[in-house]
Amino acid sequence: MAKKKIIKKVIKKVRRSSAASSSAKTNGSASMAVRDKKTMQAIKAMADNVVEIAARSRTPHVDIPSRSLSNVRFNRSRKIIEMGGNKNRRELFNLSQAKSYMQTLLVGSGCKRLIEQGKTTSIRGLYYMLKHRIAGTSENTFEEQSECDPIIEDIEVMLDALREELHLYAQNKGNLFGDLTLIDDGTELNCSRVGRNGYSIPSIVEPHIVQFVKHNAKFILHVEKDTVFTRFVEDQFWKNHQCLITHGGGQPPRGVRRMLNRLHNELGLPIYCLLDNDPWGYYIYSVIKQGSINLAFESQRMAVPAAKYLGLRSIDLERCQLSDSVIIKLNDSDKKRARQIAEYPWFENKANWQKEIKRMLDNDFKLEVESLISKDISYVTEEYVPQRLRDKDFLD
Amino acid sequence: MTTEAPPRRKRATAESMAAEQRSISVSEFFTKNRHLLGFDNPRKALLTTVKEAVDNSLDACEEAGIVPTLWVAIEAAGKNRFRVAVQDNGPGIVKKQIPLIFGKLLYGSKFHRLRMSRGQQGIGISAAGMYGQLTTGKPVRIVSKIGKNKPAHYFEIQINTKTNHPEILNGKGEGEDIPAGDKGIEYCNKYGITWVAEIPPLEEGGKPEMLVSGTRVTIEMEAGYKRGKGSVDEYLEQTAIANPHVTIYYSDPDGNLKTYVRSTTTLPPEAKEIKPHPYGVELGRLLAMIKDDKGPSTISQFLTNNFSRVSSAVARRICEAAKISTRASTKKIGRNDVDKLFEAIQNTKISPPETNCIAPISEELLLKGLYQVVPGEFYAAATRPPAVYRGNPFQIEVALAYGGAMATKKVGKEELNQLLSESDARNIKKFLITTFDGMGPDGADKIVKASGLSPRMAPAKMKSAEREALLEAMQGVAIGEGQTMQILRYANRVPLQFKMGDCAITKTVMSTNWRSYGLSQSRGSLPSGPVTIMVHMASVWVPFTSESKEAIASYDEIEKELRLALQAVGRKLGMFLRRRITIRQENERRSIFLRYLGEVASAVNEINGTNRDSLYDNLLKVAQRKTKEADTKLDTRGKRIEDDSELYGDNVIIVEPQSILDEVQVKSNGAATANGGASKKGKVQKELF
């Protein structure tokens, strides 16, 4: 009963904010949403700082919170990764930083334009918006999108503004299937009746865009990629087990993670992950559970510390009596990555995880979820996952 | 089958062999072994002749305190025959001595004394005369005048190779005086001799100066004349570099006249004669000296009188070590005692010989000489303090020139045609390598490729269009990197042109690590780059590897001094090159900042509407200040240097590129400067943007 109340409240809120946003649209840039004003102020402050420093004949610089392992802290009580206080200074008059300093300001000006015009674009769109030939040279402001993306993340952490607050979104990647009714930007839909691929999770799923209406699910099964996702959809797993199925196309993008976070927190659904048995699978689980190192500043909104790891396990070759032909040998980078993961503070003190990783290294091979198909095409949906669920056989 | 007995042969007996055995005269020996004296081939014979005559003339002038003026003339005298004449304004030679000096091998004033001079043994000029006599049958002709009012004397001399004695052919074995006035001219014409009677004025409109004294030697010989490496032209040019006080008038077989004008009238300081140092004496020599000792004297007296740096205290120590009484007489001393004495000398600490007997060229004059002849951007010189090998004092000087045009770019069309027609190289590549200094196979390949000619084309058969293509390629191709270091070697101011590989100088240059000074160098070879290095060894006795005096022998002490001197100029070069790199990087830095400033200003303008141009100007000012800061020079220890001149130390010339500064920056220890006058300390101040 309590659940339903929450949902209603959300809907009310949403109606109010959608009214506000529609008024913003009609009035143009003259009156902005409060959130946009705050973002604009941050961007302006950055630019004003350049003017002021230049007037004092000093070197213009920006201080960007460091997005590296050394600057993240594992908060043991909240069980999420938090960002530390280290900052990296980026100066205009430093050979190796001059270009990225210029790019930082350029991204700032691009976001300012988007906010002013009340439009959003993908990060690829912003890249094309800002890409041009630098006057008098044969050099471009950005040569590739890969140069632009990290700068956007820099701006996010530096201005303490979320991506959607900068009017940016990433490419959609990841789907959801199951009996969940939601409103996406004013359109109500049921995620089990939007085609075989289900609901494509958008990059921005904040409450003012996406609202949950009702659902009939007991848990969420998150799988790694769409092959396995399709298997579960086709085999009607969601119906048979009353659950939602999601995938993130490998490393789940922010939209998917934010969605999982909201589904878990607002609808109280436990999350089980079915991922490949390799260091990358482990890391995907780690990202869903306590946040990524790169986006540590957003962990609070995204991490689901209660998420459980269902499989595949390094004992599965024997346990499921798979044929030897499905194994893939570990390469050097796999081994290195595995050892790194074992040393992360959030895995460090977990005996069963240490055992799991050690076992994989001892096996010297990895297993993909797809390998279960070698037993039977529906082995994974009819036997493997149901059995784990029945036995409550998870890694935490 | 029957075996035939070997035919009987009459065996030599001790008696019959004795009949064949007889003494060999030095002249005979050298007639058969002319390569030992540098007469291996016709081309080298010509060079050696000029060289010996010039060396003798310069020695004589300097010893007499006369600023040398030389006339060198080479005329063709038939196919493969040349008449070589060298005249000086030296003191002249007295009648009695002329035949001995020019007509007897191993006769001279320089062998028995320890004194820095060009000639050493007294073989050179007489051997040249002998060579001429051998190949043409013509005598050596000498004209010599010893004073203002004395007549010039004319000799025709032949050497008797059996007895090593001179034979005078004219004037009934006495030679003849050349009459004064018109009769003299008539006489000269009759005998086909030339005598330059006056020194032409150096400035236009000046008065010629009457020649007070001098000597002219003329030798006719079979020889070959070619320009390029190892030529007479090269020798004279290099001589002019190392002897800035000499003026040379040179006319080549084609009648071209070339004058090397002196840049100073100061003679090098007179070299002093010294007594031998005990460490340099070998046992046999010591024995001979003791035997030759005039008047019975004590060992102590003998040692102090005959050796340098032996005081009576040192003599006493030697005697004590040898367990001989200091008062023992030299007449009575036994062979065993001499052995002991010899050993004792080696084990006694004796201070090194005096070194003021050496007259180095001096860094300043080295730079001057190099600057005038080798075009470049950077010059540095270093002189080592005198050192000693085997008891002989010596001193090493090094000068270095970096940058500038390649030898191939200095050649004009006429000159190239001449060089091509004279060359006997098989193909163009070989021609380039053998003709031009510092040209390596890589550079030659580049030029041949750029010219579009067949690499196998013979230089002599090239048509005029092909020659032009080659010339164009030579001018156009930049071969700075493919170029190898050029080494000018000198011993007592005499250029060494052959046997480069055998010479201690070349070996040391190769074994020095030039990579740390910014040049590229493959292991065990000469470094590459547009570098000319000039190395001078001055010594009372230069240890040559052979009598032809072409390479310095490798003594450890000499190699060590060479290395230290090379490293000293190398460090300066390294600093210069590093600084050039820094400047280049600095320019790149500026351009990068400059590139982004506009974008930054535009972005800020878009965000908060600031005036773009005023922000741009502000940023520009910061950029200028920033890059200026990075402009400050640091010395090798990372300390800040305010003034350029402190960076390199003394005796460095930096020629700034024309576009930046049209003047030469010179710093040489308070002395006259290389750009021929006022010492201008140019400062490089480039406008930033």
Side-chain angles (χ1 to χ4, degrees):
Chain A
M1 301 303 113
K3 279 177 206 164
K4 275 183 185 169
K5 273 179 197 168
I6 295 168
I7 290 175
K8 271 181 189 167
K9 263 187 197 169
V10 172
I11 291 171
K12 272 182 199 165
K13 257 192 203 166
V14 166
R15 288 196 178 135
R16 246 183 278 135
S17 74
S18 69
S21 70
S22 65
S23 73
K25 269 177 203 164
T26 49
N27 290 353
S29 55
S31 74
M32 271 179 239
V34 183
R35 299 150 42 88
D36 285 347
K37 270 187 185 153
K38 191 195 127 219
T39 316
M40 274 300 255
Q41 264 167 15
I43 295 175
K44 270 211 171 103
M46 177 175 78
D48 292 344
N49 185 260
V50 178
V51 178
E52 188 205 340
I53 290 179
R56 285 194 286 129
S57 289
R58 295 283 155 78
T59 299
H61 62 264
V62 287
D63 289 326
I64 298 161
S66 162
R67 293 180 288 115
S68 64
L69 180 60
S70 61
N71 192 35
V72 296
R73 211 176 40 230
F74 181 55
N75 185 324
R76 281 177 205 284
S77 58
R78 297 173 70 192
K79 292 188 178 167
I80 58 170
I81 298 174
E82 289 179 340
M83 186 170 250
N86 296 353
K87 288 187 174 178
N88 292 334
R89 177 157 290 197
R90 182 173 293 165
E91 294 184 342
L92 173 56
F93 297 117
N94 178 321
L95 266 199
S96 55
Q97 297 169 355
K99 186 167 191 183
S100 48
Y101 179 88
M102 178 271 290
Q103 290 170 334
T104 311
L105 280 160
L106 221 55
V107 169
S109 77
C111 293
K112 187 248 179 190
R113 222 185 305 165
L114 285 172
I115 296 170
E116 216 168 47
Q117 296 174 2
K119 290 180 181 167
T120 56
T121 183
S122 66
I123 50 175
R124 186 157 182 81
L126 183 75
Y127 157 67
Y128 276 115
M129 215 170 100
L130 300 175
K131 181 175 182 169
H132 61 257
R133 185 70 41 93
I134 298 171
T137 67
S138 56
E139 197 181 346
N140 284 323
T141 48
F142 296 95
E143 294 300 338
E144 281 172 38
Q145 196 190 336
S146 59
E147 277 181 59
C148 185
D149 293 355
I151 303 276
I152 295 172
E153 284 170 2
D154 288 341
I155 289 269
E156 286 177 54
V157 285
M158 188 171 75
L159 303 182
D160 195 18
L162 300 173
R163 187 168 287 185
E164 55 270 20
E165 289 171 347
L166 296 170
H167 286 220
L168 294 173
Y169 58 84
Q171 208 186 330
N172 288 3
K173 197 173 87 176
N175 301 64
L176 184 151
F177 203 102
D179 189 1
L180 169 71
T181 305
L182 51 75
I183 299 169
D184 181 347
D185 207 14
T187 311
E188 188 173 297
L189 54 91
N190 184 287
C191 297
S192 61
R193 267 171 276 160
V194 283
R196 281 177 305 157
N197 280 332
Y199 173 61
S200 171
I201 304 171
S203 165
I204 298 169
V205 293
E206 291 307 306
H208 70 279
I209 308 247
V210 176
Q211 303 96 34
F212 303 134
V213 181
K214 65 174 186 199
H215 69 91
N216 178 24
K218 287 188 287 191
F219 65 93
I220 302 164
L221 182 72
H222 179 81
V223 301
E224 191 165 331
K225 284 192 189 115
D226 61 345
T227 336
V228 182
F229 176 81
T230 312
R231 179 86 268 117
F232 277 90
V233 172
E234 216 175 271
D235 290 352
Q236 304 263 305
F237 186 87
W238 57 278
K239 200 182 232 172
N240 298 342
H241 290 86
Q242 271 187 33
C243 68
L244 304 177
I245 301 161
T246 56
H247 84 89
Q251 182 67 256
R254 281 196 246 188
V256 172
R257 286 166 52 202
R258 177 66 176 146
M259 191 63 152
L260 289 175
N261 173 287
R262 285 191 64 205
L263 289 171
H264 175 79
N265 289 331
E266 292 173 28
L267 307 182
L269 302 176
I271 294 172
Y272 305 111
C273 302
L274 180 66
L275 304 163
D276 289 346
N277 186 257
D278 60 24
W280 313 103
Y282 296 160
Y283 189 66
I284 291 173
Y285 167 70
S286 156
V287 165
I288 292 172
K289 194 174 169 72
Q290 47 260 320
S292 75
I293 292 163
N294 201 20
L295 297 176
F297 59 102
E298 293 208 285
S299 295
Q300 205 186 325
R301 296 197 310 139
M302 302 204 173
V304 185
K308 302 275 190 290
Y309 184 85
L310 185 142
L312 263 52
R313 299 280 299 276
S314 46
I315 49 169
D316 280 346
L317 187 76
E318 282 171 37
R319 189 164 67 172
C320 305
Q321 291 165 338
L322 302 175
S323 105
D324 272 352
S325 58
V326 300
I327 64 172
I328 303 169
K329 233 175 126 40
L330 291 179
N331 60 32
D332 287 346
S333 75
D334 288 334
K335 289 177 195 168
K336 203 177 144 202
R337 189 88 183 95
R339 286 190 200 102
Q340 263 176 12
I341 287 172
E343 282 170 19
Y344 284 159
W346 46 95
F347 282 125
E348 206 180 4
N349 298 320
K350 290 185 176 164
N352 48 3
W353 266 108
Q354 293 297 327
K355 222 166 103 187
E356 172 71 23
I357 296 169
K358 187 174 182 300
R359 175 72 192 254
M360 182 190 63
L361 285 169
D362 291 347
N363 283 348
D364 200 22
F365 63 73
K366 51 189 179 185
L367 287 171
E368 292 188 336
V369 180
E370 286 87 336
S371 68
L372 295 175
I373 289 174
S374 68
K375 291 276 291 185
D376 181 87
I377 191 140
S378 290
Y379 178 79
V380 65
T381 58
E382 284 164 11
E383 288 190 39
Y384 187 87
V385 175
Q387 198 167 347
R388 299 287 96 74
L389 290 169
R390 207 180 312 130
D391 299 348
K392 297 203 182 334
D393 178 13
F394 315 121
L395 281 179
D396 185 20
Chain B
M1 247 206 262
T2 52
T3 46
E4 260 181 66
R8 267 178 169 249
R9 193 157 62 106
K10 201 185 167 202
R11 290 295 195 169
T13 61
E15 285 80 12
S16 69
M17 281 161 87
E20 305 268 308
Q21 289 160 348
R22 57 197 163 98
S23 79
I24 306 155
S25 124
V26 230
S27 320
E28 277 179 313
F29 175 78
F30 283 120
T31 314
K32 282 198 171 176
N33 293 295
R34 48 170 104 150
H35 58 275
L36 292 179
L37 300 174
F39 294 90
D40 346 14
N41 59 53
R43 192 171 170 220
K44 217 167 145 194
L46 185 72
L47 172 70
T48 306
T49 305
V50 173
K51 197 170 155 172
E52 294 296 347
V54 167
D55 290 353
N56 284 350
S57 291
L58 292 177
D59 274 345
C61 289
E62 283 168 23
E63 214 176 325
I66 300 168
V67 182
T69 303
L70 264 56
W71 292 265
V72 177
I74 303 173
E75 301 164 29
K79 197 169 178 265
N80 295 333
R81 247 188 213 206
F82 291 90
R83 203 175 296 120
V84 180
V86 176
Q87 183 180 336
D88 60 43
N89 62 340
I93 309 167
V94 294
K95 249 192 222 175
K96 191 171 85 188
Q97 290 296 334
I98 291 178
L100 291 169
I101 288 173
F102 294 95
K104 186 174 167 69
L105 290 185
L106 292 173
Y107 184 90
S109 55
K110 299 165 191 169
F111 186 80
H112 291 282
R113 63 183 188 187
L114 280 173
R115 180 177 186 279
M116 182 182 155
S117 61
R118 293 178 177 80
Q120 282 183 183
Q121 291 97 339
I123 294 182
I125 194 64
S126 36
M130 192 176 78
Y131 176 83
Q133 179 186 329
L134 209 69
T135 51
T136 65
K138 295 272 173 81
V140 182
R141 293 179 296 167
I142 297 114
V143 180
S144 187
K145 182 172 153 67
I146 55 169
K148 202 173 175 184
N149 300 317
K150 305 241 168 89
H153 205 77
Y154 174 59
F155 279 102
E156 289 180 3
I157 296 169
Q158 269 195 342
I159 186 167
N160 183 331
T161 51
K162 285 234 168 62
T163 58
N164 187 21
H165 270 299
E167 286 165 3
I168 301 161
L169 304 182
N170 65 339
K172 295 171 194 147
E174 290 287 321
E176 287 172 0
D177 283 346
I178 300 177
D182 290 344
K183 275 189 186 167
I185 296 168
E186 211 173 281
Y187 183 88
C188 286
N189 287 341
K190 188 179 159 200
Y191 290 94
I193 49 173
T194 322
W195 175 252
V196 183
E198 46 195 33
I199 301 171
L202 286 177
E203 288 133 34
E204 255 178 79
K207 270 189 185 168
E209 191 188 327
M210 281 300 294
L211 200 66
V212 176
S213 60
T215 306
R216 183 183 187 98
V217 53
T218 311
I219 298 171
E220 198 168 321
M221 62 201 298
E222 224 177 81
Y225 174 77
K226 236 172 255 150
R227 267 168 265 262
K229 266 188 203 173
S231 65
V232 174
D233 302 56
E234 187 193 61
Y235 163 76
L236 291 176
E237 178 174 306
Q238 292 188 8
T239 302
I241 296 178
N243 299 278
H245 59 288
V246 178
T247 294
I248 303 171
Y249 299 95
Y250 167 53
S251 80
D252 71 11
D254 301 325
N256 301 323
L257 291 171
K258 176 142 187 148
T259 310
Y260 298 94
V261 182
R262 65 174 66 88
S263 56
T264 175
T265 51
T266 325
L267 280 174
E270 198 185 343
K272 271 198 245 163
E273 191 176 337
I274 58 160
K275 286 184 251 177
H277 191 270
Y279 284 169
V281 172
E282 274 144 9
L283 181 60
R285 177 113 179 88
L286 185 66
L287 273 166
M289 282 169 81
I290 289 177
K291 208 177 154 196
D292 291 348
D293 188 38
K294 292 168 200 137
S297 54
T298 65
I299 285 292
S300 172
Q301 277 168 335
F302 166 76
L303 289 172
T304 49
N305 289 341
N306 287 291
F307 293 102
S308 67
R309 296 295 182 178
V310 181
S311 61
S312 51
V314 172
R316 194 170 63 242
R317 278 213 301 282
I318 294 172
C319 292
E320 273 165 17
K323 300 203 175 69
I324 300 171
S325 161
T326 48
R327 283 190 301 248
S329 165
T330 48
K331 291 290 166 213
K332 288 175 191 157
I333 196 157
R335 174 64 219 267
N336 278 349
D337 289 334
V338 179
D339 277 350
K340 279 193 226 156
L341 195 66
F342 179 73
E343 213 172 297
I345 287 173
Q346 309 305 319
N347 296 330
T348 307
K349 196 171 181 324
I350 306 166
S351 50
E354 289 171 82
T355 47
N356 55 5
C357 53
I358 297 172
I361 302 176
S362 88
E363 292 180 1
E364 190 202 323
L365 288 179
L366 275 176
L367 280 177
K368 226 182 219 183
L370 203 56
Y371 177 77
Q372 274 175 351
V373 183
V374 183
E377 299 156 47
F378 175 80
Y379 300 82
T383 304
R384 293 289 308 158
V388 175
Y389 80 92
R390 266 191 44 201
N392 296 314
F394 71 98
Q395 191 166 13
I396 300 292
E397 295 172 289
V398 174
L400 172 148
Y402 178 87
M406 225 352 241
T408 47
K409 296 201 179 184
K410 290 188 277 183
V411 177
K413 196 177 160 192
E414 295 282 301
E415 203 175 340
L416 179 67
N417 282 342
Q418 213 153 35
L419 287 168
L420 281 168
S421 58
E422 281 164 9
S423 174
D424 53 5
R426 277 201 314 279
N427 53 44
I428 308 175
K429 184 178 166 184
K430 276 260 150 33
F431 163 75
L432 290 168
I433 296 172
T434 51
T435 312
F436 300 105
D437 287 315
M439 172 69 74
D442 295 349
D445 276 340
K446 270 192 194 172
I447 290 181
V448 173
K449 210 176 161 196
S451 69
L453 299 169
S454 157
R456 266 183 290 189
M457 180 172 286
K461 288 179 190 159
M462 285 172 77
K463 299 200 178 73
S464 101
E466 290 159 346
R467 288 177 183 204
E468 252 164 53
L470 179 64
L471 184 67
E472 203 173 303
M474 278 165 54
Q475 308 284 357
V477 176
I479 40 169
E481 279 310 305
Q483 190 172 341
T484 45
M485 178 188 270
Q486 189 190 347
I487 305 176
L488 307 178
R489 297 173 290 136
Y490 292 90
N492 284 353
R493 294 166 184 261
V494 177
L496 309 177
Q497 291 167 285
F498 297 94
K499 294 199 179 160
M500 202 170 115
D502 293 346
C503 186
I505 293 174
T506 319
K507 286 182 197 162
T508 316
V509 170
M510 283 185 185
S511 65
T512 303
N513 180 8
W514 292 91
R515 277 177 299 248
S516 51
Y517 306 131
L519 296 177
S520 56
Q521 177 187 30
S522 33
R523 188 171 289 277
S525 63
L526 288 174
S528 51
V531 189
T532 303
I533 200 157
M534 177 175 166
V535 183
H536 178 224
M537 173 174 175
S539 178
V540 292
W541 188 263
V542 179
F544 289 111
T545 54
S546 76
E547 284 320 310
S548 54
K549 300 198 279 188
E550 286 157 346
I552 296 172
S554 301
Y555 281 93
D556 285 348
E557 295 88 342
I558 297 175
E559 287 196 349
K560 182 187 158 206
E561 286 299 314
L562 281 169
R563 185 163 300 114
L564 290 171
L566 289 170
Q567 284 168 345
V569 291
R571 273 191 297 276
K572 290 178 181 184
L573 175 67
M575 264 187 260
F576 172 74
L577 292 179
R578 269 194 299 279
R579 190 171 156 244
R580 273 217 325 198
I581 290 169
T582 326
I583 290 172
R584 200 177 303 144
Q585 284 171 343
E586 204 50 36
N587 285 333
E588 278 166 22
R589 241 168 77 96
R590 277 171 194 157
S591 70
I592 286 172
F593 293 154
L594 179 66
R595 202 180 300 168
Y596 300 141
L597 288 187
E599 289 293 330
V600 169
S602 301
V604 171
N605 162 266
E606 166 135 23
I607 295 171
N608 63 6
T610 312
N611 184 325
R612 184 192 173 279
D613 293 340
S614 73
L615 175 64
Y616 182 82
D617 288 345
N618 277 346
L619 288 173
L620 204 62
K621 270 180 213 152
V622 187
Q624 279 173 343
R625 199 171 53 80
K626 277 279 156 188
T627 39
K628 230 177 235 170
E629 204 165 273
D631 259 349
T632 47
K633 287 134 215 130
L634 303 177
D635 69 9
T636 39
R637 282 155 298 166
K639 269 165 90 186
R640 204 177 259 244
I641 290 170
E642 301 301 336
D643 189 1
D644 242 14
S645 52
E646 279 173 51
L647 186 63
Y648 300 106
D650 292 336
N651 287 318
V652 165
I653 306 177
I654 299 166
V655 183
E656 297 293 351
Q658 295 275 314
S659 56
I660 296 171
L661 207 72
D662 200 5
E663 71 181 53
V664 178
Q665 181 184 346
V666 176
K667 200 211 176 211
S668 70
N669 219 359
T673 52
N675 55 350
S679 169
K680 263 187 195 165
K681 200 181 279 174
K683 213 175 155 229
V684 204
Q685 181 58 60
K686 272 178 290 172
E687 271 308 304
L688 240 184
F689 297 111

